[in-house]
């Protein structure tokens, strides 16, 4: 059964960068996956008053915003189609228009029908940030977060952030298609960020992976005051890893959704591809 990769494209108010197309095609080719891209355009209800029509010309502004959203969505789909063809990856596309408050939730709902989601995420793109969070915690599927401006590369060397938790184990299981293709895997445990139940868990996981034929090694790292997401990504990059696998922490508190420190750090400052699984 062929792996299916879902790519939600944000178009308003912040749109994905053009560089995402090359990333998607390279990753899909490396996974031998099909690509399903969804351009999520904005639909803005006209709630203008007579005064707003007179002073701001609100209907025209709405039409301009919707037209720009559609234009950007079509442009991104064209780029993806072109790059998928070059990579010999199966590709299909869809366009949908939804109200602004429903953009992220729509992406999460659509992602439930595919094996993985790939979300392009760059600093300052709050639309992509909200979409990534919704997909990670609302889709029930693993999400691959990719900085849009980095060069595409094969995931030949992979890092696993390991603390022995349920979400870390979930991420490990979801990462299996990547681990099976990797030539090297590094299990990384941060030892000075929170109490760990069992010392040496990173070596235990590495040994279990080696029994399955994975070339895995284990190491510990100290955050030394750095944000946990920064420490993990820096350690992974220093080891030459192209992908970091980690569990996504989050829970509801009253009406707010509270993210774990590492998860929030990755969403706020993504410097390498990260597979997040909740």
């Amino acid at each position: 059964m062929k792996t299916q990769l879902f790519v939600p494209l944000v178009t308003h108010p912040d749109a994905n960068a053009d560089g995402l197309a090359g990333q998607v095609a390279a990753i899909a080719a490396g996974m031998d996956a099909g690509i399903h891209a969804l351009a999520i355009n904005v639909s803005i209800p006209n709630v203008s008053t007579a005064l707003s029509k007179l002073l701001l010309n609100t209907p025209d502004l709405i039409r301009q915003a919707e037209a720009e959203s559609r234009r950007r969505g079509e442009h991104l789909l064209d780029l993806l189609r072109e790059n998928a063809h070059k990579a010999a990856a199966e590709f299909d596309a869809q366009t949908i228009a939804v109200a602004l408050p429903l953009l992220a939730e729509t992406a999460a709902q659509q992602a439930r029908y595919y094996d993985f989601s790939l979300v392009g995420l760059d600093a300052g793109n709050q639309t992509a940030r909200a979409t990534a969070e919704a997909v990670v915690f609302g889709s029930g599927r693993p999400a691959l977060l990719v900085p849009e401006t980095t060069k595409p590369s094969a995931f030949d060397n992979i890092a696993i952030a390991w603390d022995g938790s349920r979400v870390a184990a979930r991420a490990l299981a979801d990462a299996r298609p990547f681990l099976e293709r990797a030539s090297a895997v590094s299990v990384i445990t941060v030892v000075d960020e929170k109490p760990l139940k069992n010392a040496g868990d990173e070596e235990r996981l590495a040994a279990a992976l080696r029994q399955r034929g994975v070339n895995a090694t284990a190491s510990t790292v100290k955050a030394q005051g750095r944000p946990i997401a920064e420490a993990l990504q820096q350690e992974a990059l220093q080891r030459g890893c192209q992908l970091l696998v980690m569990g996504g922490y989050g829970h509801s508190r009253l009406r707010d959704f509270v993210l774990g420190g590492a998860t929030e750090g990755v969403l706020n400052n993504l410097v390498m591809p990260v597979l997040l699984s909740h």
Side-chain angles (χ1 to χ4, degrees):
M1 189 166 63
K2 194 177 187 70
T3 299
Q4 295 298 314
L5 189 64
F6 173 66
V7 185
L9 299 170
V10 297
T11 65
H12 180 89
D14 303 306
N16 287 128
D18 288 0
L20 179 62
Q23 293 275 23
V24 171
I27 292 168
M31 297 174 65
D32 189 26
I35 303 168
H36 182 90
L38 176 66
I40 307 176
N41 301 331
V42 69
S43 175
I44 305 173
N46 188 353
V47 293
S48 58
T49 65
L51 182 60
S52 67
K53 290 179 181 178
L54 178 64
L55 297 179
L56 300 175
N57 200 11
T58 301
D60 279 351
L61 293 176
I62 290 174
R63 285 193 292 270
Q64 289 171 17
E66 290 180 337
E68 175 59 22
S69 175
R70 291 192 299 271
R71 186 200 68 77
R72 187 62 187 164
E74 292 170 1
H75 173 71
L76 289 169
L77 287 177
D78 287 342
L79 284 177
L80 270 173
R81 186 178 292 106
E82 179 183 345
N83 279 267
H85 179 73
K86 291 178 180 177
E90 294 179 5
F91 178 83
D92 71 342
Q94 182 183 356
T95 299
I96 190 171
V98 298
L100 187 60
L102 301 178
L103 295 177
E105 179 58 26
T106 297
Q109 291 173 354
Q110 296 294 321
R112 294 169 189 164
Y113 298 91
Y114 303 92
D115 300 300
F116 291 87
S117 293
L118 192 157
V119 183
L121 182 59
D122 268 343
N125 190 330
Q126 293 303 310
T127 310
R129 165 67 165 76
T131 300
E133 183 176 328
V135 169
V136 170
F137 293 102
S139 70
R141 299 291 189 176
L144 185 60
L145 310 184
V146 179
E148 298 169 343
T149 54
T150 58
K151 293 180 63 175
S153 64
F155 296 149
D156 187 56
N157 191 347
I158 296 175
I160 300 171
W162 186 251
D163 61 3
S165 65
R166 182 199 67 80
V167 293
R170 179 71 265 164
L172 175 66
D174 287 335
R176 181 170 180 172
F178 299 99
L179 299 177
E180 289 176 342
R181 292 175 169 84
S183 62
V185 172
S186 298
V187 181
I188 302 172
T189 296
V190 179
V191 294
D192 63 344
E193 188 261 339
K194 64 183 179 183
L196 299 173
K197 291 184 178 180
N198 300 304
D201 259 1
E202 68 284 346
E203 180 52 51
R204 181 179 180 185
L205 175 59
L209 290 173
R210 288 194 293 269
Q211 289 177 342
R212 302 172 201 171
V214 177
N215 178 24
T217 58
S219 64
T220 60
V221 61
K222 291 184 178 181
Q224 295 180 325
R226 293 174 294 172
I228 182 68
E230 179 183 326
L232 285 168
Q233 291 184 92
Q234 285 183 352
E235 181 69 14
L237 289 171
Q238 287 174 5
R239 292 178 169 275
C241 300
Q242 301 104 5
L243 174 67
L244 172 63
V245 175
M246 58 184 286
Y249 287 88
H251 66 275
S252 295
R253 180 182 293 170
L254 298 179
R255 298 184 66 180
D256 294 325
F257 194 76
V258 182
L259 297 177
T263 306
E264 185 168 25
V266 163
L267 289 170
N268 288 337
N269 186 25
L270 185 72
V271 298
M272 68 180 296
V274 173
L275 179 67
L276 267 179
S277 183
H278 178 64

